[in-house]
Amino acid sequence: FCAEVPGRIGGKAKGFTMSIATETDLRRIAERGAADLDGASAEDLLRWTEENFGGRYIVASNMQDAVLVHLAAQVRPGVEILFLDTGYHFAETLGMRDASEAVYGVNIRNVTPEQTVAEQDASEGKDLFAREPNRCCALRKVAPLKKTLAGYDAWVTGIRRVEAPTRANAPLISYDEAFGLVKINPLAAWSDDDMQNYIDEHSILVNPLVDEGYPSIGCAPCTMKPAPGSDPRSGRWAGKNKIECGLHST
Ligand code: SF4
């Protein structure tokens, strides 16, 4: 009940192909998948995603490393990778995006906000991130993501439970209430050691900023090096009483 058909029958658009999956269908698939794949490996979760959603899913990456990109490309060569190009990224992160496309043969979907940074400065006042980071993230991350995901039935993310208390209960598969599609987190159960072992074993590309002391990389104005021994995500929006950008409710 999830086949792709030409023309409009219902559901959400992706290019010239329409899915006939309804919200009820997607909720059922997520529920069944969560039960059937409890404790499954990242590879099995990605294979399940491919079997259930074919070309109707996209893999999000913040380009901190290419672990998820590499895993996903094994299952679907040329898989679509969503990169939220906020206009505030480090040059190293943009370099990782381009290198990942070249090395792993994936298709980067570079998603930009409605307004350029200059346009936002003109309409909202300069450096909105410093005054109202939640609004800045809403405009530059959440809104463009929502618009993009409306064209898919599922998205795959790299969030891990050990990253933050807000992610401690991240499920492997769920129906994403915020964006209205199935969400798969193949790395949710991975530890930092699991990540490093995979990186070492497969010589995976890693953002050079990690080796410079940034364990969690986001937009440049909102990312600092955390103090030695402190929470790795404490360098994100430091002093702003904010720990998530609004993309992940789980
Ligand atoms: Fe704006 Fe900072 Fe959010 Fe990036 S992380 S969208 S610069 S507030």
Side-chain angles (χ1 to χ4, degrees):
F1 58 144
C2 223
E4 283 183 326
V5 292
R8 181 164 187 79
I9 291 183
K12 294 175 279 186
K14 178 187 168 292
F16 296 106
T17 309
M18 303 289 175
S19 164
I20 60 171
T22 64
E23 180 184 329
T24 308
D25 292 339
L26 296 178
R27 284 184 183 277
R28 270 198 215 118
I29 293 170
E31 214 171 286
R32 201 187 315 140
D36 291 350
L37 280 92
D38 187 28
S41 68
E43 288 87 348
D44 282 347
L45 287 158
L46 285 160
R47 274 192 287 272
W48 176 88
T49 304
E50 175 66 23
E51 281 161 17
N52 281 275
F53 302 109
R56 301 184 320 282
Y57 71 93
I58 193 162
V59 179
S61 175
N62 65 359
M63 293 299 160
Q64 177 152 321
D65 59 67
V67 169
L68 186 59
V69 170
H70 181 261
L71 280 161
Q74 307 305 303
V75 173
R76 185 178 183 85
V79 65
E80 275 194 292
I81 304 293
L82 189 162
F83 178 71
L84 281 175
D85 188 352
T86 62
Y88 280 117
H89 281 296
F90 291 100
E92 289 87 341
T93 302
L94 300 179
M96 263 293 289
R97 172 198 62 190
D98 298 344
S100 296
E101 186 166 46
V103 171
Y104 302 115
V106 294
N107 283 305
I108 300 287
R109 182 153 180 195
N110 197 66
V111 172
T112 54
E114 199 108 315
Q115 294 186 313
T116 64
V117 169
E119 287 166 349
Q120 180 172 295
D121 281 352
S123 64
E124 302 278 338
K126 196 164 165 47
D127 297 346
L128 183 62
F129 59 80
R131 291 173 286 111
E132 287 186 73
N134 286 336
R135 177 156 173 76
C136 186
C137 278
L139 292 171
R140 308 203 73 73
K141 289 185 171 179
V142 181
L145 178 68
K146 191 162 198 158
K147 196 172 168 189
T148 304
L149 291 183
Y152 296 88
D153 286 342
W155 71 310
V156 178
T157 91
I159 64 169
R160 296 185 295 125
R161 293 170 187 153
V162 295
E163 287 172 329
T166 47
R167 299 180 177 186
N169 297 315
L172 298 178
I173 301 172
S174 62
Y175 181 78
D176 187 332
E177 301 289 345
F179 296 109
L181 76 174
V182 178
K183 182 176 186 182
I184 301 98
N185 301 319
L187 307 181
W190 282 34
S191 65
D192 292 345
D193 283 348
D194 292 333
M195 291 293 285
Q196 195 55 56
N197 289 341
Y198 192 89
I199 287 167
D200 294 343
E201 194 177 327
H202 300 277
S203 302
I204 299 295
L205 291 176
V206 175
N207 192 317
L209 292 173
V210 172
D211 286 339
E212 288 180 29
Y214 294 88
S216 179
I217 303 165
C219 294
C222 301
T223 303
M224 291 171 62
K225 287 184 195 178
S230 61
D231 174 355
R233 278 182 70 84
S234 62
R236 305 285 295 277
W237 304 285
K240 294 280 195 313
N241 195 26
K242 175 176 166 69
I243 51 172
E244 292 280 359
C245 44
L247 306 183
H248 305 290
S249 50
T250 51

